[in-house]
Amino acid sequence: NVQLAITENQQFSQLKPNSPCNAGQISCIQGDLAQCVGGKFLTTACAGGSQCFSLPLVNKVGTSVTCTTAEDAARRMNAGSVQELQALIGGISPVPP
């Protein structure tokens, strides 16, 4: 599950708001939670201090796309630090102050 989450986050780092998508698809775009509606991503900003990540599920196979802190995402993906997580998944959007 960790590798799946890392792969999804790598894919998300390549997405832009105008990227093509499939109805119902949930993704992260530039740190925001994104859902595909009518072939277009609609984004919702995460609450202060958090950003969107694909995280590994604990009790079953798969991932969950949600807002959390970069520190929590790093811990859940077995990265030693946010910098190590960034190296694993590509870019982590800076969290606005």
Side-chain angles (χ1 to χ4, degrees), residues 40-84:
K40 295 182 180 183
F41 279 114
L42 300 178
T43 59
T44 302
C46 293
S50 67
Q51 55 191 309
C52 186
F53 291 95
S54 173
L55 299 173
L57 294 177
V58 176
N59 295 325
K60 63 181 180 176
V61 175
T63 60
S64 174
V65 178
T66 190
C67 295
T68 191
T69 64
E71 292 80 8
D72 180 54
R75 181 183 57 77
R76 292 187 196 203
M77 287 187 258
N78 301 325
S81 66
V82 171
Q83 291 76 18
E84 186 179 325

